[in-house]
Amino acid sequence: MNNNDQITQILTIVLIVMVFIFMALAIAFIFFWLKSKKKKVETVEGKETLTSDAKKIAKEYTTESIFKFMEFEKIEDNMIVQKKGMRYIMVVECQGINYDLMSENEKIGVEEGFLQFLNTLRHPVQIYVQTRTVNLNDSIENYQRKIEEIGYELEKKKNAYLKKLQSGVATKEELNKDFFEVTKQTNLYEYGKDIIANTQRMSLNKNVLSKKYYIIIPYYVEDLGPNSTFDKEEIRNIAFQELYTRSQSIIRTLSSCEVGGRILNSNELADLLYIAYNRDEAEVFSVDRAARAGYEELYTTAPDVLEKEMRALDEEIEKRAIALANEKVIQARSPKQQEIDQKRARLQELVRARAQMIIKQNAAYLGRQTVETAGRLIEENDNENKQEETTIEEKPKRTRRKKADAVEQESIIKEGGTKDVEEKPKRTRRKKAVNE
């Protein structure tokens, strides 16, 4: 009995422990399930919040807000229009000078000129300095176009020189002159390729910077007075005239201190603003390239298909009309003219036949053997004329010295044309034998 009681107590304890473990697992499962459900709800709410914020931001960016941020409406007549046509701006680009390398007298002259510039100002101006990364793509493209032209000219000169060399007709002076021209053109071509390679290496360095200096000259429509009755076109013309006068005055006064200046046109103003608002993108895609690519063209137009077909028919009619007119003109010639054309085409044949006939008519006076010999000579002469018309004229024979010079100079041209042709003495075997 004691053993049974002990077993029962042990089983009871084990059962109680298992019940507690099961309850603990159930409580843990419920806790984690509630926690995961709460996270899902927060994620959905967060997504909805982000979506609503994005919608709010999208709604905030409108055309008016963008123009307000950019602070200008448009560019026209070499001017920047601001504040809904109430302010116009013209920009003068200035070329800087190296003040530190000047002598004392030159520095004093520059300072006095700049002082004069400040004293002559009667309107507000702004000095703007823009730092740009040097973009050498345009220079590289320009160099490549010129190098292609030089290479094309070099090939033409090489071919002309080789033809003269192989013909054997040109003199030694002409060959040397052409060889010198080919060598000079080859050196120029190689020098141009080196320039392109060095420029491309320089363009890889993004730390090469340049500074541009500008003077901003504004004009306010308020200066016309509150009671002005000018329309928009007249206001724009007045603003342009006033700004142009001010810009030219500034350019003249700056010239006294050796600073050059010029007024920016509309494309250059667009480039100035584009770099100011898109400094990183301007290094890759400039305004000039965008303009050449036709970014502002939304669609392209082509001539109507029927117009193309009509133009092709007109050309075909003109071509056939000319051919028919020529044919009928030939047919409309008189029989006598046609006979003359036929005789002119068979002139050689008729001359030979008439010569044979004359010889036969005078056979009694010439003798049989003379008649046969003369007829044979006429036929041989006719055959020789035919052979001269159908065969190609043989080239003149060249001496051994000319052949050697041609081979040697031809190999030099293929290698690049940097060696001189060595002259070989003219000595035939016969002269050697005589000397011996």
Side-chain angles (χ1 to χ4, degrees):
M1 291 296 292
N2 292 330
N3 291 332
N4 291 332
D5 293 337
Q6 291 178 356
I7 292 170
T8 302
Q9 290 177 357
I10 293 171
L11 291 174
T12 302
I13 293 169
V14 171
L15 184 60
I16 292 170
V17 172
M18 290 178 65
V19 169
F20 277 112
I21 292 172
F22 178 75
M23 290 176 65
L25 291 174
I27 292 169
F29 175 75
I30 292 169
F31 174 76
F32 284 112
W33 180 74
L34 292 173
K35 190 174 181 180
S36 62
K37 188 176 180 180
K38 185 178 180 181
K39 284 183 178 180
K40 288 181 180 179
V41 172
E42 291 177 353
T43 304
V44 172
E45 291 178 352
K47 288 182 178 179
E48 292 178 353
T49 305
L50 290 174
T51 305
S52 61
D53 292 340
K55 289 180 179 179
K56 289 180 181 178
I57 292 171
K59 289 180 181 178
E60 289 177 358
Y61 285 105
T62 60
T63 305
E64 294 180 357
S65 64
I66 292 173
F67 275 111
K68 186 177 179 181
F69 168 74
M70 296 176 70
E71 297 182 351
F72 71 94
E73 281 77 30
K74 58 183 177 179
I75 298 173
E76 61 178 1
D77 296 336
N78 301 341
M79 298 183 297
I80 302 174
V81 183
Q82 290 183 322
K83 297 182 179 180
K84 298 180 181 180
M86 300 302 294
R87 186 188 184 196
Y88 293 86
I89 287 176
M90 191 171 282
V91 181
V92 174
E93 182 182 3
C94 301
Q95 301 295 331
I97 58 175
N98 200 332
Y99 182 79
D100 294 331
L101 295 181
M102 291 183 174
S103 62
E104 290 298 326
N105 293 330
E106 291 174 341
K107 290 180 179 180
I108 293 172
V110 170
E111 292 172 357
E112 290 178 351
F114 190 72
L115 184 62
Q116 182 182 356
F117 159 69
L118 295 177
N119 291 329
T120 55
L121 286 177
R122 295 294 181 268
H123 49 81
V125 295
Q126 179 184 359
I127 297 176
Y128 174 59
V129 181
Q130 188 177 78
T131 303
R132 301 185 182 185
T133 302
V134 176
N135 190 355
L136 301 175
N137 292 329
D138 294 336
S139 301
I140 293 172
E141 291 178 359
N142 189 20
Y143 278 134
Q144 287 176 345
R145 285 194 297 269
K146 292 182 178 180
I147 287 300
E148 289 176 0
E149 295 176 359
I150 294 173
Y152 179 71
E153 293 294 330
L154 176 61
E155 290 299 323
K156 286 174 60 178
K157 289 186 178 181
K158 278 186 178 181
N159 294 332
Y161 175 74
L162 291 176
K163 285 181 181 178
K164 284 186 179 181
L165 207 59
Q166 293 172 0
S167 66
V169 179
T171 62
K172 180 182 176 182
E173 294 179 355
E174 293 178 352
L175 290 175
N176 291 335
K177 182 179 179 181
D178 292 344
F179 180 72
F180 175 75
E181 291 295 330
V182 171
T183 304
K184 183 174 71 172
Q185 196 78 4
T186 303
N187 295 335
L188 181 62
Y189 181 69
E190 293 176 354
Y191 178 69
K193 290 196 298 184
D194 291 339
I195 289 177
I196 291 177
N198 294 330
T199 309
Q200 287 176 341
R201 283 195 294 269
M202 287 177 59
S203 64
L204 297 176
N205 186 6
K206 299 299 181 182
N207 295 324
V208 180
L209 303 175
S210 65
K211 285 188 177 182
K212 300 283 186 179
Y213 304 93
Y214 304 97
I215 296 178
I216 314 298
I217 307 167
Y219 177 78
Y220 296 90
V221 180
E222 299 171 355
D223 296 342
L224 294 174
N227 298 325
S228 62
T229 57
F230 300 107
D231 58 8
K232 292 183 178 179
E233 186 70 21
E234 292 174 341
I235 290 173
R236 186 170 67 251
N237 292 334
I238 293 171
F240 177 80
Q241 294 174 3
E242 185 66 25
L243 287 174
Y244 185 79
T245 304
R246 294 179 181 180
S247 300
Q248 291 297 333
S249 175
I250 287 176
I251 291 172
R252 284 194 298 270
T253 53
L254 285 175
S255 63
S256 62
C257 55
E258 299 183 6
V259 176
R262 65 184 186 89
I263 300 173
L264 297 184
N265 57 31
S266 297
N267 291 334
E268 291 169 338
L269 287 175
D271 186 53
L272 176 68
L273 295 173
Y274 179 74
I275 294 175
Y277 287 98
N278 306 278
R279 190 174 297 276
D280 296 332
E281 289 79 1
E283 299 176 6
V284 181
F285 197 69
S286 62
V287 171
D288 292 336
R289 288 194 173 188
R292 290 196 298 267
Y295 72 100
E296 77 279 7
E297 299 174 3
L298 300 179
Y299 61 91
T300 58
T301 58
D304 190 4
V305 177
L306 296 178
E307 292 182 2
K308 288 183 178 180
E309 188 175 357
M310 184 66 71
R311 190 162 53 251
L313 285 174
D314 292 338
E315 292 176 358
E316 185 67 21
I317 290 170
E318 185 70 18
K319 183 179 178 181
R320 292 189 180 185
I322 293 172
L324 181 61
N326 291 332
E327 181 182 355
K328 296 307 178 185
V329 166
I330 293 172
Q331 292 178 0
R333 289 180 178 179
S334 62
K336 200 70 175 176
Q337 183 68 35
Q338 293 181 10
E339 186 179 354
I340 291 172
D341 294 340
Q342 291 176 359
K343 279 191 176 182
R344 186 178 288 109
R346 299 174 57 241
L347 182 63
Q348 188 67 25
E349 183 181 353
L350 293 174
V351 169
R352 182 175 57 82
R354 181 60 182 166
Q356 294 281 8
M357 186 180 296
I358 292 171
I359 292 172
K360 288 180 181 180
Q361 288 176 354
N362 297 280
Y365 302 101
L366 298 173
R368 181 179 176 184
Q369 185 176 1
T370 303
V371 170
E372 291 179 355
T373 304
R376 188 174 64 254
L377 290 174
I378 290 174
E379 291 180 355
E380 289 177 357
N381 187 29
D382 186 59
N383 293 331
E384 288 178 0
N385 291 333
K386 289 182 180 179
Q387 289 178 359
E388 288 178 358
E389 293 176 356
T390 56
T391 56
I392 301 173
E393 184 179 3
E394 295 182 357
K395 296 181 179 180
K397 294 182 179 180
R398 292 173 290 182
T399 60
R400 292 183 180 180
R401 178 177 174 275
K402 288 186 177 180
K403 287 183 180 179
D405 292 344
V407 172
E408 186 172 357
Q409 292 190 3
E410 184 176 356
S411 63
I412 291 173
I413 287 297
K414 290 181 180 178
E415 293 175 359
T418 55
K419 298 179 181 179
D420 294 332
V421 180
E422 296 180 358
E423 296 184 358
K424 297 182 179 179
K426 294 182 178 179
R427 291 180 182 177
T428 60
R429 296 180 180 178
R430 185 178 176 182
K431 287 185 177 181
K432 287 183 179 180
V434 170
N435 293 331
E436 290 174 0

